[in-house]
Amino acid sequence: MPPLTETVEAAACTTTPDLTSLLGKDEQEIARVMQICNACRYCEGFCAVFPAMTRRLEFTAADTHYLANLCHNCGACLYACQYAPPHEFAVNVPQAMAKVRGRTYQHYAWPSTFGRLYERQGLTIALALAGGLALFLALAAAMAGGLTDKPLAGNFYAIFPHNLLVVMFGAVFVFAVAAFVVGVVRFWRDISPARDAAPPGATELAKARGPAAVEAVTDIARLRYLGGGHGEGCNEDDDRFTQSRRWFHQLTMYGFLLCFAATSVATLYHYLLAYEAPYPWFSLPVMLGTVGGVGLLIGPAGLLWLNLHRGAERGDAAQRPMDRGFIALLFVVSLTGLALLALRDTRFMALWLAVHLGTVMALFLTLPYGKFAHAVFRTAALFKYALEKRLPNRIAVGSD
Amino acid sequence: MAAEPDVLVIGGGNAALCAALMAREAGATVLLLESAPHSWRGGNSMHVRNLRCMHDAPQDVLVDAYPEEEYWQDLLKVTGGLTDERLARLVIRHSSRCRPWMRRHGVHFQPPLSGALHVARTNAFFMGGGKALVNAYYRSADELGVAVRYDTPVQSLELKDGRFVAAVTERGERIAAKACVLACGGFESNLEWQREAWGRNERGEWPAENFLIRGTRFNQGVLLKFMLDAGADAIGDPTQAHCVAIDARAPLYDGGICTRIDCVSLGVVVNREAQRFYDEGEDFWPKRYAIWGRLVAQQPGQTAWSIIDRKAVGRFMPPVFPGTRAESLEELAQKIGLDIATFTATLNAYNAACRPGTFDHTVLDNCRTEGLTPPKTHWAQPIDAPPFFAYPLKPGITFTYLGMKTDESAAVRFAGVPSANLFAAGEMMAGNVLGKGYTAGVGMSIGTAFGRIAGVNAAASAGFHHPEFKEELAYAAAH
Ligand SMILES: Cc1cc2nc3c(=O)[nH]c(=O)nc-3n(C[C@H](O)[C@H](O)[C@H](O)COP(=O)(O)OP(=O)(O)OC[C@H]3O[C@@H](n4cnc5c(N)ncnc54)[C@H](O)[C@@H]3O)c2cc1C
Ligand code: SF4
Ligand code: SF4
């Protein structure tokens, strides 16, 4: 694969006058559109993409991947653009960004051949789900001797030994983390040209890291860039602003984190306190998991509904299977998890446990090869942005 | 809308929307007719970025103060006195108090865009630009129940003894109303009219044939012409317009803000004969860019090239189209099709005339030429560091100033008598305040003030009184 640091087009330095000479591949479309935006800048107040753009005069392929992952596809700059189609400049920033985001995930996937999975997301998720379910159903049948049995008083480990689960999920999880670390390190290297670290940048960079990290984390925690710059929210299928996507995403994100926290607390209980599941309803892991699970039901349901209704001109239609597949998977994981909680004292526990673990396994398996990647690369891009804006601007157009 | 509306607003840009919203707030039923389809709605207003605002102390996005007197002096200077002081001061004072109302209708303000810091004190920027503003007003209009019809150009009006009776659309539909606001822009989009107005020059050329229109294609001036023919009192001169030098490769319409070329003061400008023709460093670029449209319009073929070298790259707002690049001046001349010998002679003469100095683009520095006509009085540095770049220029018309004469009521006048129910706002009457010249953001100040006034008065003439505007208007009108 060619390195992304290659210059797409030295915009200010070409001899070809017409903009269409920049048309073509996805990265080139961003370079083309950004050249128009950079001469216009009306959208500077909406999000981080435009201020980041003004620090550049030309856009390398790596720059386009950086900008693409800064974009949250809020839509504000499409509905406010005087050059949006039917204008001949045909500026559609969210769409250009979305297409390249898809390429980022693919390009930085590790191992790189797995990047192909992004092209067949429907199939990938279906296979992962089928595989996960089959695995656990078969295991359950083999180990417990059947899928419905006498009630086991919620004792999961009577069906799957704890250590077996730890090894299986631990391995997949560690693999996912490793895949993301490799990908994001490569991404980071590409989007941070050596010039940033050169003196006097080096000391400034060191000083900027702490505050930049705080800013990036706060912006993510508040989903600042789904606020449209003015805080009134983002656009769905017209120029109206709404908070719905922000709220549903918050429910999803915090729901996911709470479920993750529930598992972590349970693991600590298990190993540190030798306190083993099943935990009572009002124990910390169950409460975290329940609240998180509810968030992870409402959030994805809302996001899916919005996704199904969102204007087609925005985003990349080719990524719909990825978006919807991931959202649906989260929903199913949460649904089966909550159902398991409700059924854990019945004879269906074994069945539901297998179903739930199968879906969780599917989620973990597809984590590095699906929509979850957006969280990783967007975090990196936001951190990069927060760092960059604390460094001196090499371009002095603002000073005149 | 089945029943006849109280107020008919013709046009779909800032002035029209301000009028429609105010009339509706007053309680009148309002129908707005926009000639453009939904996707092109908003006229020139969808291209704007800021509003010039008077303020006596820092105000949210505005720093320091920009008092009435200073604003007035600025206006007086750019118009060379071709302005109506009463109306101008009304606009100025209104600009200090209109933004809360704009915010209520969904307009968001932000500090100046990067590259526009020179107006941080005087101009409030719209977040997302004019299209975001227009969208917000249309949303608000929709929520308040203003009826809007797109794709509905109005062809003529039915008038009776100076009163508005009905409008007739291009498709022949007759729409009657109790009162009417005309806010359908100047005639900048009408190439035929521009050609006629600018006439033929001494070289036998029709200069307007080479003009580009920076904004909408829908301001054909149909109703302006109709009204002037119908005997409405006129103001202004048809050749007066806001006219800047823009990239010659811009589209004929709607090139908007991004086609401007901001490197003139960093290099030299030559015409088709490869000759310089004006001091490129006379003053700061923001103060000079509005005269370069006319300067280029006077050159053969209404075209020119802005020439810079490597030293200027990154010092000006990046242009939308890439420049023609060359490693030598000869190659550059050849690539842009100018006579190589003349071009290099012009550049060499300029380079030789540059006196050493300390280059500083943020002040009127001491880098100037000596013994050169025309001189370059600031920021004159030899153009000698390859690569060299050339950007082709043409005149770009922003909007025209010929309009209808009005007083503070925004009423259209026939032989000095104001109409009881026909009003004008925005570009259609901006010439009252702006006889010539321009200063950034004043177009929106005029359109917002008179749009709101016209809406209120149109509603009043139909029997509806706006509950709140009186105070603001009294403040604005008290001189
Ligand atoms: C590129 C550009 C940038 C600018 N930037 C600024 C700026 O930053 N600040 C500033 O103050 N000013 C700016 N201006 C000037 C500003 O656009 C105008 O002063 C202002 O928008 C005029 O508003 P208006 O409502 O009178 O006209 P417009 O906004 O042009 O509205 C006229 C409307 O009437 C409609 N119409 C025309 N004919 C008919 C008909 N026969 N029937 C029905 N409808 C009709 C048109 O479709 C249009 O919707 C800029 C102009 C341009 C072109
Ligand atoms: S999206 Fe459109 S309006 Fe916004 S900065 Fe880009 S060109 Fe300008
Ligand atoms: S869609 Fe939203 S986040 Fe993306 S570039 Fe436009 S304004 Fe920024």
Side-chain angles (χ1 to χ4, degrees), chain B residues 10-268:
Chain B
I10 305 177
N14 175 58
L17 288 160
C18 285
L21 288 169
M22 291 302 282
R24 186 71 196 115
E25 280 180 2
T29 57
V30 180
L31 172 63
L32 181 145
L33 304 178
E34 159 66 303
S35 65
H38 184 287
S39 54
W40 288 109
R41 71 182 183 184
N44 282 342
S45 304
M46 77 150 169
H47 287 289
V48 306
R49 53 179 184 169
N50 60 34
L51 175 78
R52 184 166 285 255
C53 298
M54 160 191 161
H55 54 110
D56 291 324
Q59 238 184 32
D60 54 281
V61 299
L62 294 162
V63 296
D64 297 341
Y66 187 47
E68 176 178 347
E69 201 50 34
E70 188 185 353
Y71 195 153
W72 162 243
Q73 289 301 331
D74 285 346
L75 207 53
L76 196 61
K77 198 158 68 199
V78 297
T79 58
L82 278 181
T83 176
D84 178 328
E85 182 168 354
R86 287 178 67 80
L87 301 193
R89 285 190 186 269
L90 184 145
V91 166
I92 292 170
R93 297 184 120 219
H94 177 267
S95 76
S96 72
R97 304 195 12 148
C98 62
R99 291 192 304 125
W101 179 84
M102 297 172 71
R103 280 205 184 88
R104 275 214 301 287
H105 289 288
V107 177
H108 294 284
F109 293 93
Q110 65 160 82
L113 304 174
S114 60
L117 296 175
H118 52 278
V119 289
R121 186 170 65 89
T122 52
N123 291 46
F125 282 70
F126 311 125
M127 185 181 284
K131 193 162 172 188
L133 170 137
V134 162
N135 287 344
Y137 281 160
Y138 274 109
R139 279 200 304 274
S140 201
D142 183 48
E143 279 155 23
L144 292 176
V146 172
V148 173
R149 278 171 60 182
Y150 298 104
D151 265 321
T152 310
V154 174
Q155 186 74 42
S156 61
L157 303 185
E158 217 178 286
L159 303 169
K160 190 160 182 263
D161 307 325
R163 282 186 68 90
F164 169 82
V165 180
V168 181
T169 70
E170 212 175 83
R171 286 187 288 271
E173 185 185 353
R174 180 180 179 278
I175 300 171
K178 295 198 182 83
C180 175
V181 176
L182 292 170
C184 37
F187 69 92
E188 51 275 350
S189 325
N190 189 328
L191 302 173
E192 198 47 46
W193 191 347
Q194 297 258 19
R195 184 174 183 270
E196 183 192 319
W198 282 74
R200 224 171 157 156
N201 66 16
E202 65 287 355
R203 282 183 293 269
E205 303 165 323
W206 296 87
E209 285 181 349
N210 284 314
F211 289 178
L212 299 169
I213 313 306
R214 299 178 67 213
T216 182
R217 60 207 67 195
F218 291 95
N219 289 353
Q220 293 288 337
V222 174
L223 290 182
L224 181 60
K225 187 167 219 110
F226 173 87
M227 288 303 297
L228 296 181
D229 290 348
D233 296 351
I235 184 107
D237 156 353
T239 67
Q240 286 305 333
H242 185 248
C243 175
V244 303
I246 61 169
D247 198 301
R249 296 162 293 183
L252 178 56
Y253 290 111
D254 287 298
I257 193 85
C258 78
T259 61
R260 74 198 181 297
I261 295 291
D262 279 349
C263 53
V264 166
S265 64
L266 290 162
V268 295

